[in-house]
Amino acid sequence: MMILSELGEKAALIARRRRELNMLWHQYSNTLVQAITQTKTPLHLSINCSTDNSVSFRLFSQFLIAVRPDANFNDHRLYYSLETHENPSVTRLGEARLGDDGLLNGAINIGQKEAVLGHFLHQVRPVYDLLYQAVERGEPLQITAFEQMFHQSGSA
């Protein structure tokens, strides 16, 4: 009976921590969605409906920017990625760690909209920069430019 009670306690702790991590992910994603939809600055991001456990946005109706929690058991990493219509493979933009304390990378409170938005925009800024350069030069954007840019910066 000692083994049964010991395993029961362990199972209860595991279940509680999984619920807490899931609640933190939902709090973060809700804060991010609210921050993006309530900002006065037009970012040209629209909420994208997804069936997986991610939050994603369409950028200029052409690009998909997604934030996904790692699928591994009890992994606290979040991944920021980019997909396009032409190339549905994922280009990783960056990652962050969602702590049990409700802090992103140990510093950003996931309940603070401005801080969460600032972190997200830091992750996706290279996409805006690349799009801006193409538009400013009047040149078509080659999809390979994303992979090259992120590969050179070490973010891929």
Side-chain angles (χ1 to χ4, degrees):
M1 281 306 176
M2 186 62 159
I3 292 174
L4 180 61
S5 64
E6 182 182 330
L7 292 181
E9 289 174 22
K10 288 180 180 181
L13 173 75
I14 293 166
R16 187 179 84 246
R17 293 276 173 89
R18 286 180 51 89
R19 271 192 313 276
E20 290 169 355
L21 183 58
N22 195 38
M23 287 173 47
L24 289 169
W25 161 246
H26 286 291
Q27 181 183 358
Y28 168 78
S29 59
N30 286 336
T31 301
L32 179 60
V33 167
Q34 289 176 19
I36 288 173
T37 57
Q38 294 173 1
T39 185
K40 304 282 188 230
T41 304
L43 298 171
H44 298 277
L45 289 167
S46 59
I47 298 171
N48 185 66
C49 295
S50 60
T51 57
D52 60 358
N53 190 25
S54 70
V55 60
S56 57
F57 307 92
R58 287 268 171 217
L59 175 61
F60 298 114
S61 302
Q62 181 81 20
F63 307 96
L64 181 71
I65 297 175
V67 184
R68 291 178 176 87
D70 192 289
N72 290 321
F73 186 85
N74 200 45
D75 200 320
H76 288 67
R77 288 176 295 181
L78 305 179
Y79 297 106
Y80 300 78
S81 62
L82 174 73
E83 299 173 28
T84 64
H85 291 299
E86 298 85 8
N87 186 6
S89 66
V90 174
T91 300
R92 186 170 299 163
L93 301 173
E95 68 179 67
R97 185 177 193 292
L98 180 58
D100 290 330
D101 54 2
L103 296 178
L104 200 58
N105 289 338
I108 299 165
N109 183 324
I110 62 171
Q112 295 179 342
K113 290 179 197 172
E114 296 81 18
V116 167
L117 180 60
H119 178 267
F120 174 80
L121 293 176
H122 177 74
Q123 300 295 320
V124 302
R125 182 182 181 141
V127 176
Y128 281 91
D129 290 344
L130 195 60
L131 296 174
Y132 181 81
Q133 289 170 7
V135 169
E136 191 174 55
R137 293 178 185 155
E139 299 173 351
L141 180 67
Q142 299 297 323
I143 249 2
T144 56
F146 287 112
E147 286 89 11
Q148 291 170 353
M149 182 177 70
F150 295 110
H151 181 67
Q152 289 171 353
S153 69
S155 297

